[in-house]
């Protein structure tokens, strides 16, 4: 073929133009590794693509592609040497390189020669940086692939992952990208194992054996196919392909697994692994390629089943078409194909080297722009680039290796952050295709031929989703720290029998051991106590020992606090908690028989009394002249006024006000009486009922301001909390048990005890079970928190136990355990009975009132009897004077008593009538005489 494409001159800017336009051919290069499965497939795909481009009538308009293909092997040095040979050939674009390691070298050559590179296999995320301006790729960046891997891991809630990667930029950058993707989803890489390209079996075994003793069971393999398959084989030999393990391989290995298997032993160590690979939708372009492939390479076994398609071969095919379309646009724009020789450099600066004499493609910048603007439907899907030269809109699928071939089990694409059982839509493909293609997309709905949804068969043939974490294989059970308390043994109880056998029981222990039954794996453990049982240990010290890895966990009544969360992890709280103030009930019933006088102060009582006298006087003044009921002798008027005004207290006055002014005063006064009665009644009710249960301390604020001694549980965080509220240490008294609580509260602040106890609500509930009547909670609960089980930072069992606690809560089992240990219903019933009893008043609150009433009644009866007896004596004397001629028998004491009783029963005569009529008087006396005689 005629060398038309470049001429060389001595001047750095000189160029010769070809005589024919458009040129009959243009040279393009290809860089790939011939000795790999991907390279073998890509080589055939590139040759077929060049053939299809040259046969197409609507692409280059008669200009043909002249392909120059070189083998890069898998080393950057050989790749750079092959790239130099291509530059000498006068190529204007390169399809390749195949690998990221080679691309790192060759991209710099492309930058110096301004020759665009369109790679079909280099997926290193860092290759898209601005330092490689002439690098473009039709293969999706590992940024997308690692997002797909992280999404799959997050889909099953696995939190710790180990990655095996190549010890080069491709592997290191891919591992870093996966780490970032996992962190954004709540997981993390706990180990990165880098393998050199030439690592041998002992080197692989050493790292695998180390990891087999760790708890993580999720492994990602991001290497080339040869090393990746070696890792899987050695893992199988080390019994790391059994149930519970998860192996995820990235697209290079997955692609190799989809290639017709030449090694029958591979099926042994690849069963159950998960592969991630580019999702290839069925399209007319793919169908056309496969048809051409069968004609050109009939010996290859390929059909429309996408699991048999090497995606990198499709990328290579599309890369040729992307280059061809860019060249077509370049030539249609009448751009010239010229090269210039680099300026001569001094010998001492390397001017004689081959690199210093590379020719530059003058139209490289324009050609790069046409490549980036290329957009079409290829065999692998939509070919469209972003501004950095990366492919957009790529989708991935997850395959499960079962039997001899992988099976699709799920999908991921850029606009969908999670795993989907359905393939991505082909909306973008349909928008760029012809109407005939649209009909094909709609009819096939973008689904591959083998998109049947099926359950995943994991390593070891298990269908149960692996937990992703197990206890280390070192045979050591978890050492769990347990506080040995001096009191509150219902929560954590440690007992040792005569045979020196220690048993652990209590609410917290039962919750922990029940939660372990919800886990999908066995957790061997042993308890180790902290404390002697005489004094409760400091809980902060217990947590610090856990942070120092002296314990593997802490189980007990441990509150979840912010400062503790900074050094350890806690499970989901299994019991809500918060601080409360416990105080004795103030009962005023015993020593307050004059409580009925308390509603009003002495000043108010005196004011009310004077108001009665003053208002009665005013009423008498206004009614005296017009109302005969307010007339009469002075003593009678005084009695009338007093009885009238005091009877208004009960709205039972007999006399009526007849003057307008008197009625006005009376109405206002009755309103005042109404208010006084209502206020008195309400205040007296409060004093005799509510105040019997009202504590002197109303809550935390009043307790702090009272300067009274405060009790707290030994070892609790309450001491530090109260000190943070500026409570003096001298006021704080540690208490260890229920008996000490009760004794301190009974003694009170003045007796050497405490005025109140600040403690967490569960402790107070246990204390209340036997002391419901005597003590109550003052104020509201504060510092809301909860109790949880503590584990070292980053422990996977923390999340598993949290899930178990939530399941216990949803099933009601956690509530049943709580009801057994916390008998709240009993205490609530007692509290209700105490409240009812408090509203039922007894004689002790009113005997003073009844005493006053009784004394008043007795005094009035005595006065009445004195006046009646005086009348009786007087009447007897009058009777004797009127009947002096009658001789009477001496009357005995019994006869006098009978006569007096008859006199008491006789109705009294109207004194007014007696005074006016002597006959009436005579009649009364006659009647009296008659009665007496009888």
């Amino acid at each position: 073929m005629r060398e038309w494409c470049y001429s060389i001159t001595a001047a750095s800017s000189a160029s010769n133009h070809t005589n024919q336009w458009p040129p009959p051919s243009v040279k393009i290069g290809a860089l790939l590794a011939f000795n790999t499965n991907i390279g073998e497939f890509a080589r055939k795909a590139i040759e077929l693509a060049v053939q299809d481009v040259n046969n197409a009538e609507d692409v280059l308009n008669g200009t043909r592609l002249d392909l120059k293909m070189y083998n890069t092997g898998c080393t950057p040095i050989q790749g750079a040497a092959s790239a130099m040979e291509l530059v000498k050939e006068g190529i204007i674009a390169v399809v390749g390189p195949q690998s990221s390691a080679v691309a790192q070298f060759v991209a710099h050559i492309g930058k110096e020669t301004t020759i665009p590179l369109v790679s079909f296999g280099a997926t290193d995320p860092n290759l898209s940086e601005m330092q490689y301006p002439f690098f473009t790729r039709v293969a999706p960046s590992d940024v997308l692939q690692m997002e797909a891997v992280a999404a799959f891991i997050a889909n099953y809630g696995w939190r710790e992952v180990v990655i095996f990667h190549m010890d080069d930029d491709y592997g290191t950058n891919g591992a870093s990208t996966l780490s970032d993707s996992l962190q954004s989803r709540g997981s993390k890489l706990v180990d990165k194992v880098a393998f050199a390209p030439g690592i041998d079996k002992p080197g692989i075994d050493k790292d695998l054996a180390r990891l087999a003793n760790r708890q993580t069971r999720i492994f990602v393999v991001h290497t080339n196919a040869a090393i990746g398959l070696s890792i899987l084989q050695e893992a199988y030999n080390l019994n790391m392909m059994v149930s519970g393990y998860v192996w995820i391989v990235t697209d290079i290995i997955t692609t190799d697994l989809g290639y017709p298997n030449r090694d029958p032993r591979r099926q042994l160590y690849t069963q159950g692994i998960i592969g991630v690979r580019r999702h290839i939708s069925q399209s007319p372009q793919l169908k056309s390629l496969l048809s051409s492939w069968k004609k050109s390479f009939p010996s290859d076994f390929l059909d429309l089943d996408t699991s048999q398609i090497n995606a990198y071969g499709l990328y290579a095919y599309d890369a040729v078409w992307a280059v061809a379309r860019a060249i077509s646009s370049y030539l249609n724009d009448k751009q010239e194909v010229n090269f210039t020789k680099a300026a001569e450099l001094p010998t001492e600066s390397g001017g004689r080297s081959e690199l210093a004499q590379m020719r530059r493609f003058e139209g490289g910048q324009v050609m790069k722009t046409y490549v980036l603007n290329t957009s079409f439907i290829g065999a692998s899907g939509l070919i469209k680039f972003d501004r950095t030269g990366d492919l957009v809109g790529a989708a991935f699928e997850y395959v499960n290796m079962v039997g001899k071939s992988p099976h699709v089990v799920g999908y991921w694409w850029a606009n969908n952050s999670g795993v989907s059982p359905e393939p991505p839509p082909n909306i973008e493909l349909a928008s760029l295709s012809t109407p005939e293609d649209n009909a094909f997309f709609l009819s096939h709905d973008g689904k591959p031929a083998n998109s049947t949804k099926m359950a995943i068969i994991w390593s070891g043939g298990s269908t149960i989703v692996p937990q992703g974490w197990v206890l280390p294989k070192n045979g050591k059970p978890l050492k769990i720290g347990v506080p040995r308390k001096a009191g509150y043994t219902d929560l954590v109880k440690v007992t040792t029998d005569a045979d020196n056998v220690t048993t652990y029981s209590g609410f917290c222990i039962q919750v922990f051991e029940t939660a372990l039954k919800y886990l999908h794996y066995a957790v061997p453990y042993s308890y180790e106590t902290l404390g002697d049982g005489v004094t409760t240990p400091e809980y902060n010290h217990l947590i610090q020992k856990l942070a120092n890895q002296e314990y593997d966990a802490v189980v007990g009544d441990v509150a979840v606090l912010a400062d503790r969360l900074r050094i350890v992890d806690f499970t989901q709280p299994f019991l809500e908690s918060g601080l409360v103030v416990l105080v004795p009930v103030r009962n005023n019933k015993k020593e307050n028989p004059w409580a009925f006088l308390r509603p009003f102060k002495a000043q108010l009582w005196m004011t009310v009394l004077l108001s009665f006298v003053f208002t009665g006087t005013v009423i008498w003044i206004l009614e005296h002249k017009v109302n005969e009921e307010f007339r009469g002798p002075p003593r009678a008027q005084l009695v009338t006024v007093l009885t009238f005004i005091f009877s208004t207290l009960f709205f039972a006055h007999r006399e009526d006000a007849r003057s307008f002014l008197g009625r006005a005063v009376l109405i206002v006064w009755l309103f005042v009486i109404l208010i006084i009665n209502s206020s008195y009644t309400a205040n007296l009710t409060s004093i005799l009922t509510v105040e019997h249960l009202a504590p002197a301390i109303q809550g935390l604020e009043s307790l702090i301001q009272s300067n009274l001694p405060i009790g707290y549980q030994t070892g609790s965080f309450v001491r530090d909390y109260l000190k943070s509220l500026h409570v003096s240490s001298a006021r704080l008294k540690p208490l260890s048990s229920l008996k000490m609580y009760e004794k301190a509260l009974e003694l009170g602040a003045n007796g050497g005890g405490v005025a109140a106890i600040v403690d967490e609500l569960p402790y107070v509930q246990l204390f209340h079970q036997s002391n419901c009547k005597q003590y109550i909670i003052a104020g509201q609960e504060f510092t809301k928190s909860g109790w949880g089980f503590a584990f070292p930072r980053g422990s996977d069992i923390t999340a598993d136990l949290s899930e178990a606690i939530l399941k216990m809560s949803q099933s009601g089992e956690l509530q049943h355990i709580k009801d057994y240990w916390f008998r709240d219903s009993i205490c609530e019933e007692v509290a209700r009975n105490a409240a009812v009893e408090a509203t039922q008043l007894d004689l002790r609150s009113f005997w003073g009132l009844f005493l006053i009433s009784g004394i008043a009644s007795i005094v009035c009866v005595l006065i009445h009897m004195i006046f009646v007896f005086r009348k009786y004596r007087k009447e007897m004397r009058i009777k004797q004077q009127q009947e002096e001629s009658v001789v009477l028998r001496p009357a005995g004491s019994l006869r006098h008593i009978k006569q007096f009783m008859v006199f008491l029963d006789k109705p009294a005569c109207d004194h007014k009538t007696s005074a006016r009529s002597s006959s009436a008087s005579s009649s009364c006396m006659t009647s009296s005489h008659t009665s007496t005689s009888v």
Side-chain angles (χ1 to χ4, degrees):
M1 187 175 293
R2 188 167 64 91
E3 300 292 338
W4 58 270
C5 56
Y6 68 92
S7 60
I8 303 175
T9 64
S12 62
S13 61
S15 64
N16 288 340
H17 298 261
T18 59
N19 297 324
Q20 184 180 354
W21 192 264
S25 64
V26 292
K27 291 183 179 181
I28 65 170
L31 296 173
L32 60 155
F34 293 166
N35 59 339
T36 62
N37 287 336
I38 292 177
E40 181 182 357
F41 199 105
R43 181 176 183 179
K44 296 177 181 179
I46 292 172
E47 292 175 350
L48 187 58
V50 171
Q51 177 183 330
D52 291 343
V53 169
N54 290 335
N55 291 334
E57 298 179 356
D58 57 345
V59 181
L60 291 175
N61 298 323
T63 301
R64 297 177 60 82
L65 292 181
D66 185 7
L67 176 64
K68 302 296 182 180
M69 193 177 303
Y70 281 85
N71 181 19
T72 63
C74 294
T75 62
I77 300 300
Q78 185 176 346
S82 298
M84 290 298 301
E85 293 299 323
L86 282 180
V87 172
K88 293 179 181 179
E89 294 284 352
I91 51 95
I92 62 174
V94 175
V95 176
Q98 174 181 319
S99 66
S100 297
V102 175
Q104 296 281 356
F105 265 68
V106 177
H108 287 288
I109 296 176
K111 179 181 178 181
E112 295 299 325
T113 60
T114 67
I115 297 176
L117 307 175
V118 182
S119 175
F120 60 88
T123 58
D124 181 2
N126 287 357
L127 283 172
S128 61
E129 296 180 356
M130 298 308 295
Q131 59 177 323
Y132 308 110
F134 287 86
F135 178 83
T136 310
R137 51 187 163 191
V138 295
S141 167
D142 278 341
V143 171
L144 296 178
Q145 180 178 203
M146 293 309 174
E147 285 286 336
V149 173
F152 185 83
I153 292 171
N155 184 66
Y156 292 100
W158 299 321
R159 289 171 296 277
E160 292 189 352
V161 182
V162 174
I163 185 172
F164 300 97
H165 63 88
M166 299 298 297
D167 190 13
D168 55 17
D169 291 336
Y170 159 75
T172 303
N173 295 332
S176 298
T177 302
L178 177 61
S179 178
D180 295 339
S181 299
L182 289 174
Q183 286 183 3
S184 66
R185 290 172 169 83
S187 302
K188 62 181 179 180
L189 277 181
V190 295
D191 205 343
K192 300 177 182 179
V193 183
F195 289 136
I199 190 170
D200 54 5
K201 176 181 177 298
I204 296 176
D205 286 347
K206 180 181 178 181
D207 284 312
L208 287 176
R210 175 178 60 86
L211 293 170
N213 291 324
R214 296 186 56 173
Q215 60 189 25
T216 305
R217 289 295 180 265
I218 310 300
F219 300 103
V220 176
V221 183
H222 182 59
T223 63
N224 59 41
I227 292 181
L229 292 174
S230 296
I231 293 173
L232 296 177
Q233 184 175 7
E234 295 308 316
Y236 175 80
N237 296 333
L238 291 174
N239 205 29
M240 296 177 66
M241 284 287 185
V242 296
S243 177
Y245 283 87
V246 177
W247 290 88
I248 303 172
V249 297
T250 53
D251 57 350
I252 293 181
I253 304 173
T254 306
T255 299
D256 194 81
L257 291 175
Y259 203 73
N261 191 1
R262 297 168 181 169
D263 184 2
R265 294 176 299 176
R266 179 185 295 181
Q267 185 175 340
L268 293 175
Y269 54 84
T270 59
Q271 294 301 292
I273 67 174
I274 302 298
V276 180
R277 70 183 183 188
R278 171 78 182 278
H279 169 63
I280 306 298
S281 298
Q282 292 287 334
S283 66
Q285 290 79 4
L286 177 59
K287 186 175 181 180
S288 176
L289 169 61
L290 296 178
S291 178
S292 300
W293 192 287
K294 287 183 178 181
K295 294 178 182 179
S296 302
F297 310 104
S299 60
D300 290 342
F301 177 77
L302 288 172
D303 56 20
L304 293 180
D305 185 354
T306 54
S307 67
Q308 297 293 330
I309 297 177
N310 188 310
Y312 285 94
L314 302 183
Y315 301 156
Y317 182 85
D318 290 337
V320 175
W321 275 96
V323 169
R325 289 174 180 271
I327 293 175
S328 178
S329 299
Y330 182 87
L331 296 179
N332 290 338
D333 198 24
K334 304 298 182 180
Q335 297 291 334
E336 298 179 353
V337 181
N338 294 322
F339 291 83
T340 59
K341 186 177 180 181
E344 291 288 346
L345 297 176
T347 303
E348 58 271 14
S349 63
R352 298 295 183 184
S353 69
E354 219 175 347
L355 292 175
Q357 298 177 11
M358 289 187 299
R359 291 180 288 273
R360 295 172 59 89
F361 174 37
E362 287 188 348
Q365 188 67 41
V366 177
M367 179 68 75
K368 183 194 77 170
T369 302
Y370 283 124
V371 171
L372 292 177
N373 292 334
T374 299
S375 182
F376 65 99
I377 304 299
S380 63
L382 175 63
I383 304 300
K384 188 177 182 180
F385 305 103
D386 60 18
R387 61 181 182 85
T388 63
D390 278 343
L391 193 68
V392 299
F396 288 84
E397 61 189 18
Y398 308 103
V399 297
N400 183 207
M401 196 67 183
V402 180
K404 296 181 179 181
S405 61
H407 299 263
V408 179
V409 292
Y411 303 88
W412 179 92
W413 59 93
N415 294 330
N416 182 31
S417 59
V419 177
S420 172
E422 300 293 336
N426 276 328
I427 298 176
E428 291 183 346
L429 294 179
S431 65
L432 295 175
S433 61
T434 63
E436 292 77 14
D437 293 336
N438 288 338
F440 181 89
F441 295 136
L442 295 176
S443 63
H444 285 252
D445 196 26
K447 294 183 180 179
N450 62 339
S451 62
T452 303
K453 304 181 187 69
M454 57 180 294
I456 296 178
I457 306 298
W458 304 95
S459 296
S462 174
T463 58
I464 300 176
V465 177
Q467 191 70 22
W469 178 92
V470 295
L471 291 175
K473 294 181 179 180
N474 51 20
K476 294 181 180 179
L478 293 180
K479 186 168 66 173
I480 299 177
V482 176
R484 189 165 191 172
K485 303 172 66 68
Y488 291 106
T489 55
D490 287 342
L491 300 175
V492 179
K493 185 176 183 180
V494 183
T495 57
T496 304
D497 58 16
D499 297 329
N500 203 28
V501 177
T502 304
T503 59
Y504 299 83
S505 60
F507 169 72
C508 299
I509 300 297
Q510 185 175 353
V511 172
F512 174 71
E513 294 179 349
T514 304
L516 290 181
K517 299 177 182 178
Y518 281 78
L519 301 182
H520 299 298
Y521 50 89
V523 179
Y525 61 90
S526 63
Y527 293 121
E528 183 173 311
T529 57
L530 178 66
D532 53 9
V534 179
T535 59
T536 301
E538 290 287 340
Y539 277 45
N540 286 339
H541 179 55
L542 185 64
I543 295 299
Q544 189 61 51
K545 290 174 74 69
L546 173 63
N548 296 338
Q549 299 183 352
E550 297 182 40
Y551 296 129
D552 297 316
V554 169
V555 172
D557 47 338
V558 182
V560 181
L561 304 177
D563 56 345
R564 295 174 180 174
L565 277 172
R566 285 193 290 266
I567 58 176
V568 297
D569 286 343
F570 280 91
T571 62
Q572 170 78 17
F574 58 86
L575 185 66
E576 292 185 356
S577 179
L579 293 182
V580 293
V581 178
L582 181 68
V583 297
V585 175
R586 185 180 63 183
N587 194 331
N588 298 318
K589 285 183 171 183
K590 298 179 180 179
E591 302 175 358
N592 196 10
W594 308 103
F596 67 91
L597 295 176
R598 289 181 55 196
F600 295 160
K601 291 184 178 181
Q603 183 182 11
L604 181 57
W605 278 117
M606 185 61 65
T607 302
V608 170
L609 180 62
L610 292 177
S611 297
F612 271 100
V613 175
F614 174 76
T615 305
T617 303
V618 171
I619 294 294
W620 179 82
I621 294 173
L622 297 176
E623 296 291 326
H624 178 67
K625 297 184 65 68
V626 297
N627 193 342
E628 63 181 5
E629 293 181 348
F630 288 88
R631 301 180 64 83
R635 189 173 69 174
Q637 293 184 45
L638 178 62
V639 172
T640 299
V641 170
L642 292 178
T643 56
F644 170 79
I645 196 62
F646 280 101
S647 63
T648 59
L649 184 64
F650 312 102
F651 303 97
H653 50 283
R654 185 186 66 175
E655 294 82 2
D656 295 327
R658 297 181 179 179
S659 66
F660 173 76
L661 296 177
R663 291 176 179 176
V665 171
L666 183 61
I667 290 174
V668 174
W669 173 249
L670 291 177
F671 177 75
V672 173
I673 290 300
L674 176 65
I675 300 301
I676 292 175
N677 277 341
S678 300
S679 302
Y680 179 85
T681 302
N683 202 1
L684 182 62
T685 302
S686 175
I687 292 172
L688 296 180
T689 57
V690 179
E691 286 192 6
H692 285 308
L693 295 178
I697 297 172
Q698 300 298 322
L700 178 65
E701 184 175 356
S702 61
L703 176 62
I704 294 175
Q705 295 175 354
S706 66
N707 204 30
L708 296 172
I710 304 172
Y712 69 93
Q713 186 178 169
T714 304
S716 173
F717 69 94
V718 175
R719 175 183 175 87
D720 294 334
Y721 176 78
L722 293 177
K723 290 179 66 176
S724 68
L725 298 179
H726 307 292
V727 177
S728 173
S729 300
R731 295 178 56 191
L732 303 178
K733 294 188 176 183
L735 306 171
S736 298
S737 63
L738 293 174
K739 292 183 178 180
M740 293 184 66
Y741 274 30
E742 186 173 1
K743 182 178 180 180
L745 289 172
E746 286 181 355
L747 292 175
N750 297 326
V754 296
I757 294 175
V758 177
D759 207 348
E760 295 182 78
L761 182 60
Y763 301 117
V764 174
Q765 290 175 337
L766 289 175
F767 180 75
H768 257 173
Q769 290 178 180
S770 58
N771 300 278
C772 291
K773 291 184 178 181
Q774 295 88 350
Y775 308 99
I776 62 173
I777 296 174
Q780 300 296 322
E781 182 181 359
F782 52 97
T783 66
K784 284 282 188 178
S785 61
W787 291 354
F789 304 127
F791 289 88
R793 295 298 298 269
S795 175
D796 271 348
I797 198 174
T798 308
D800 295 338
L801 270 183
S802 294
E803 182 180 355
I805 291 171
L806 289 176
K807 290 180 180 178
M808 291 174 59
S809 177
Q810 294 171 2
S811 66
E813 187 168 5
L814 183 60
Q815 186 62 42
H816 292 158
I817 298 175
K818 181 182 177 183
D819 292 340
Y820 176 80
W821 294 99
F822 293 84
R823 296 180 290 275
D824 294 336
S825 58
I826 299 176
C827 190
E828 289 174 359
E829 182 179 355
V830 173
R832 286 193 298 268
N833 295 336
V836 172
E837 183 181 346
T839 59
Q840 296 175 339
L841 304 177
D842 54 25
L843 181 62
R844 290 176 297 180
S845 299
F846 295 99
W847 70 263
L849 186 63
F850 286 112
L851 178 62
I852 293 176
S853 177
I855 292 175
S857 299
I858 293 172
V859 169
C860 291
V861 169
L862 290 176
I863 293 174
H864 173 71
M865 295 302 295
I866 291 172
F867 278 102
V868 170
F869 186 74
R870 290 177 60 188
K871 288 183 179 181
Y872 170 75
R873 294 290 301 272
K874 183 178 179 181
E875 187 171 332
M876 290 298 101
R877 286 196 298 269
I878 295 173
K879 178 181 176 183
Q880 291 177 1
Q881 291 175 1
Q882 292 178 349
E883 299 178 356
E884 290 179 353
S885 58
V886 180
V887 178
L888 300 174
R889 289 175 297 174
S893 300
L894 183 60
R895 184 175 180 82
H896 280 295
I897 293 175
K898 290 182 177 180
Q899 289 180 348
F900 183 72
M901 295 300 294
V902 171
F903 182 80
L904 284 176
D905 185 59
K906 182 178 66 176
C909 296
D910 191 346
H911 68 282
K912 296 180 179 180
T913 305
S914 299
R916 297 173 184 174
S917 175
S918 60
S919 59
S921 177
S922 176
S923 174
C924 288
M925 294 301 295
T926 303
S927 175
S928 174
H929 174 71
T930 304
S931 301
T932 305
S933 299
V934 174

